[in-house]
Amino acid sequence: MAVNENLRTPIVSVMGHVDHGKTTLLDMIRGSAVAEGEAGAITQHIGATEVPIENIVTKCGDPSLKDRFIVPGLLFIDTPGHHAFTSLRSRGGALADLAIVIVDINEGFMPQTIESLHILKRFKTPFVVVANKIDRIHGWNPNKNSSFLASYNKQSERVKTDLDNKFYDIVGELYNLGFNSERFDRVGDFQRNIGVIPISAVTGEGISDVLMILLGLAQKFLEGSLHYTAKSPGIGTVLEVKEEKGLGTTIDTILYDGTIKKGDIIVVGSLGDPIQTKIRALLKPRPLSEIKAEEKFQQVAEVTAAVGVKISAPNLEGALAGAPVRVVSPETIDAITAEVKSEIADVQIDTDSVGVTIKADTIGSLEALVNELRKEEIPIRKAHVGDVSNRDIVEVSAIEDPFYSVIIGFNVKVLPDAKEKLQTTSEVTLFRNDVIYRLIDDYKDWAKKQKELAE
Ligand code: GDP
């Protein structure tokens, strides 16, 4: 077996509770890949980092392993968090093909750990769990960048027992959520069991194991979904809409199929009608060795999936993070524009006749919020993408049931006229946060208090 040229690089997302080490892990993956740069240079993309398979197998100390794998490497989305995971969509569902759920081994499961696992279950995304911060276990003797087992075997019996106990607490938590799991080196069947890898994102212990297991998961579960046609018109997802000096509004995009070229006409999802525009420039980060103060980017003529690229084009102001980006031709422009429009507008969320009103910044995050509210059996009257507007306030202020004259906003702003209106409208209660479980907890606490007051 060898790398299969018809398969693109799998896209990986890092999820988990705040402070459990997502950013540090991504930094470590980037940094260690740079340090091992002799094998195959790591490439920095816009919004993502690609670790080629050569680096991974070299890091594991056995370059011949390369022949065992069929994917060219792994592309890590640089934005951590489950919000990124749910917001960034592809036609098939989540943009990320694989995920890492990180949990602090000393702290155990926290609300965002659980939320991440629920989301992965729903999307049926293959993932590994990493039990991070093993270097914080009392008496741990660190072994920089070594594999987990090599390091574990060097620890005292007491430290090993301490790690084992904490580790099996995590296995127990996973079991309570309906997942069978086992330490990664003991998992016989990844179809039935989730591999858990003890690591330290600071010392690098266990990182090579994480990369190897991800390659293995891609091999086992993704062969059918990573097929792409390099020469077909590009299809991607907007990661971020950004103002850049001298370029105006640009969109950082992950391309997951086909090719995109300078001069191509693209259709980009927005809250109103989709944007149709022509690519002025395609930009990638400049290699580290060439960075000049003003020039962060270099222009390229074309890029092929899977890749992160910045697109500069006129009229991108209304582009929506998480929305589709499609290369079109005169023959396909109408049909694809209609498709993109319906993808954004028809978030077919079944709403109830009475219930709370919710707003979120992207289609994906709206869906995630709806799912979590449903789990709590909180009815939803209306679910929309976009900031909180004057109209929302007016509508909600007319609701008679005090439990539901509520707006729950996830990662959204309150528009200026809505802000004014809110100050004079005491009937409407607004909850806003960028963490779903906090929003839901806040609403539940409030509803409980309202109930007590009413009694
Ligand atoms: P995030 O919120 O999940 O992105 O978490 P961060 O990556 O920002 O990490 C939160 C804190 O934990 C930071 O102070 C990190 O330096 C620290 N941290 C992360 N991973 C480790 C680890 O493996 N060992 C130790 N000792 N500290 C860590």
Side-chain angles (χ1 to χ4, degrees):
M1 229 188 305
V3 170
N4 179 339
E5 300 202 335
N6 297 315
L7 299 184
R8 65 168 169 78
T9 316
I11 300 167
V12 188
S13 176
V14 179
M15 305 162 79
H17 197 74
V18 61
D19 279 347
H20 282 195
K22 297 178 291 294
T23 311
T24 312
L25 175 62
L26 280 164
D27 284 348
M28 172 54 79
I29 288 170
R30 274 194 291 265
S32 65
V34 170
E36 311 252 342
E38 318 91 51
I42 175 191
T43 38
Q44 185 68 30
H45 294 229
I46 297 284
T49 302
E50 185 177 355
V51 185
I53 189 151
E54 288 85 356
N55 291 52
I56 301 173
V57 293
T58 308
K59 208 168 162 45
C60 296
D62 185 358
S64 70
L65 285 175
K66 186 179 171 204
D67 297 332
R68 266 183 39 194
F69 295 107
I70 51 175
V71 292
L74 298 166
L75 186 73
F76 289 87
I77 299 179
D78 288 345
T79 320
H82 61 267
H83 179 232
F85 182 92
T86 48
S87 298
L88 304 172
R89 310 295 292 274
S90 71
R91 276 187 304 180
L95 175 65
D97 304 295
L98 296 169
I100 298 175
V101 176
I102 190 165
V103 48
D104 182 336
I105 192 165
N106 302 295
E107 202 169 68
F109 273 36
M110 295 296 276
Q112 284 170 295
T113 325
I114 297 170
E115 213 163 273
S116 302
L117 291 163
H118 283 315
I119 290 168
L120 292 170
K121 198 179 216 174
R122 181 153 57 79
F123 279 93
K124 299 193 171 69
T125 307
F127 65 94
V128 291
V129 173
V130 299
N132 190 32
K133 308 198 189 183
I134 55 172
D135 63 297
R136 287 239 179 109
I137 289 174
H138 190 66
W140 186 265
N141 176 18
N143 297 272
K144 215 163 172 275
N145 293 332
S146 99
S147 73
F148 167 71
L149 280 179
S151 189
Y152 179 78
N153 288 333
K154 286 187 192 159
Q155 308 300 323
S156 69
E157 287 310 312
R158 189 198 61 74
V159 169
K160 281 186 193 166
T161 308
D162 196 3
L163 180 134
D164 290 346
N165 288 338
K166 289 178 163 154
F167 178 85
Y168 280 105
D169 285 345
I170 290 179
V171 169
E173 297 260 28
L174 281 162
Y175 185 78
N176 291 338
L177 291 173
F179 297 103
N180 287 320
S181 66
E182 184 45 287
R183 207 170 76 191
F184 69 103
D185 54 303
R186 298 177 182 144
V187 175
D189 179 357
F190 277 90
Q191 195 105 41
R192 292 183 182 206
N193 294 298
I194 307 291
V196 185
I197 311 170
I199 67 157
S200 164
V202 164
T203 68
E205 288 160 292
I207 304 292
S208 55
D209 303 305
V210 175
L211 298 173
M212 279 303 249
I213 299 293
L214 289 171
L215 284 179
L217 291 180
Q219 185 101 337
K220 232 183 167 122
F221 300 113
L222 301 178
E223 201 181 335
S225 53
L226 295 176
H227 279 275
Y228 80 123
T229 320
K231 289 201 170 66
S232 65
I235 307 180
T237 299
V238 179
L239 279 180
E240 228 180 310
V241 186
K242 267 193 189 159
E243 283 297 316
E244 296 285 355
K245 230 174 132 190
L247 296 170
T249 307
T250 64
I251 47 172
D252 291 356
T253 303
I254 297 269
L255 192 73
Y256 61 86
D257 200 358
T259 292
I260 190 164
K261 299 192 200 72
K262 181 180 171 175
D264 275 348
I265 306 292
I266 49 169
V267 171
V268 184
S270 94
L271 279 179
D273 283 332
I275 299 161
Q276 301 176 334
T277 185
K278 183 175 174 178
I279 299 180
R280 197 156 43 199
L282 285 176
L283 302 142
K284 292 187 67 172
R286 217 161 253 293
L288 287 175
S289 54
E290 288 178 25
I291 289 195
K292 287 187 215 140
E294 317 88 285
E295 288 180 41
K296 278 193 286 188
F297 308 112
Q298 58 179 334
Q299 291 213 25
V300 287
E302 65 172 61
V303 290
T304 297
V307 67
V309 67
K310 183 182 281 296
I311 299 176
S312 164
N315 307 324
L316 287 175
E317 290 73 25
L320 190 64
V325 178
R326 307 272 306 264
V327 171
V328 295
S329 65
E331 293 77 44
T332 61
I333 187 162
D334 289 343
I336 289 179
T337 302
E339 245 175 66
V340 169
K341 191 173 165 90
S342 73
E343 246 178 86
I344 307 268
D346 293 355
V347 188
Q348 288 301 347
I349 290 171
D350 281 337
T351 45
D352 311 298
S353 51
V354 283
V356 296
T357 298
I358 66 177
K359 307 279 302 208
D361 59 337
T362 69
I363 311 169
S365 56
L366 190 70
E367 257 176 12
L369 180 56
V370 166
N371 270 291
E372 294 303 314
L373 286 166
R374 292 260 183 261
K375 233 176 272 154
E376 299 288 337
E377 300 183 348
I378 299 171
I380 301 159
R381 182 189 69 90
K382 191 167 165 183
H384 271 188
V385 174
D387 290 327
V388 178
S389 67
N390 189 33
R391 195 173 138 193
D392 296 325
I393 311 281
V394 172
E395 265 182 35
V396 172
S397 65
I399 295 173
E400 285 183 5
D401 188 332
F403 285 101
Y404 300 127
S405 49
V406 167
I407 301 176
I408 298 180
F410 179 53
N411 237 22
V412 290
K413 294 197 269 297
V414 180
L415 296 173
D417 54 344
K419 241 182 223 162
E420 267 171 43
K421 186 89 193 161
L422 257 181
Q423 278 162 0
T424 56
T425 319
S426 58
E427 303 90 5
V428 178
T429 310
L430 172 69
F431 298 91
R432 266 192 317 148
N433 211 307
D434 52 10
V435 178
I436 296 182
Y437 79 84
R438 287 208 185 111
L439 264 178
I440 294 178
D441 280 355
D442 286 352
Y443 173 74
K444 278 170 41 187
D445 288 349
W446 173 86
K448 200 167 144 218
K449 258 193 223 123
Q450 295 299 92
K451 213 169 184 179
E452 283 165 6
L453 285 177
E455 278 164 9

